[in-house]
Amino acid sequence: MGNGKKPNMVMMGGLELALRPADERDIGFCYELMSHNMKVWFDKNTQKRWSRAKFRSGFKPNRITIVEHEGMPVGFYDYEMVGDNLYWHNIQLSEDYQKGVGTQLIILIEKTAMNFGARAIIGKVFAENSRAIEWLQKLGYNLDERIEQENSYWVKKDLQEAR
């Protein structure tokens, strides 16, 4: 898989990982991983619930980076600049790679945001996902506005203070 570009090799969580741009062929992997990690949350907290059609409409390979270990995909992250903020749509990792690697991915995304001149990083987290909320708060993110219709919060980290 991949688009022929050489992956960027990084050390995260004591592992050598490859980061490469996604392409259309990655949709199956991304769907299955996100379904495994997030379907229960979507079904419990949103009116539209989890669906292939909704996932497909949000799958934008030009914003997605695939994380690989030993030639196999183990995660992905998805972000874009929205105004002067970097908005992360997803940070998804296979269970075996969540500890340590997730924090390193957030740090990498923060560096990218700073390189883009972003004022802040924003994302969403389900209100009942206390594990993710605690993790993000440890990394300097604050709970922002509550999104009632999907039982989630906007989370935000101001990068102006970090400069």
Side-chain angles (χ1 to χ4, degrees):
M1 292 211 188
N3 58 12
K5 292 183 182 176
K6 186 174 175 151
N8 179 24
M9 302 304 289
V10 296
M11 289 297 293
M12 290 186 183
L15 301 170
E16 186 177 44
L17 301 174
L19 306 177
R20 65 166 175 81
D23 65 34
E24 285 292 332
R25 294 173 291 178
D26 292 306
I27 192 169
F29 166 74
C30 292
Y31 175 83
E32 290 300 327
L33 180 59
M34 195 158 166
S35 179
H36 177 78
N37 289 350
M38 302 300 295
K39 182 182 185 309
V40 170
W41 295 106
F42 276 91
D43 287 351
K44 185 175 183 181
N45 293 291
T46 65
Q47 293 176 351
K48 290 189 176 181
R49 304 175 68 81
W50 181 257
S51 76
R52 287 183 184 273
K54 183 173 181 187
F55 178 84
R56 179 69 186 114
S57 71
F59 183 74
K60 309 284 187 229
N62 60 310
R63 335 181 284 229
I64 298 172
T65 299
I66 301 295
V67 179
E68 295 180 332
H69 182 232
E70 297 179 349
M72 294 188 56
V74 297
F76 71 94
Y77 57 98
D78 173 0
Y79 67 83
E80 67 180 319
M81 288 297 295
V82 177
D84 57 359
N85 296 317
L86 185 140
Y87 172 62
W88 48 258
H89 296 273
N90 287 291
I91 301 170
Q92 299 292 327
L93 290 163
S94 300
E95 261 180 76
D96 295 346
Y97 294 86
Q98 289 177 359
K99 293 216 187 277
V101 175
T103 298
Q104 294 300 311
L105 284 180
I106 286 278
I107 291 168
L108 180 67
I109 291 168
E110 290 174 1
K111 287 178 183 176
T112 300
M114 288 182 190
N115 289 340
F116 284 143
R119 296 177 56 83
I121 298 176
I122 56 174
K124 289 194 287 187
V125 64
F126 286 112
E128 294 176 357
N129 192 346
S130 59
R131 183 174 160 224
I133 290 171
E134 289 172 19
W135 173 63
L136 289 166
Q137 287 176 323
K138 284 180 186 174
L139 295 172
Y141 289 78
N142 297 305
L143 292 183
D144 209 18
E145 182 182 340
R146 186 169 174 113
I147 308 163
E148 293 295 334
Q149 68 269 24
E150 58 185 52
N151 193 27
S152 63
Y153 289 102
W154 287 106
V155 292
K156 182 177 184 180
K157 183 172 186 177
D158 185 359
L159 295 178
Q160 299 304 303
E161 300 167 6
R163 294 186 203 278

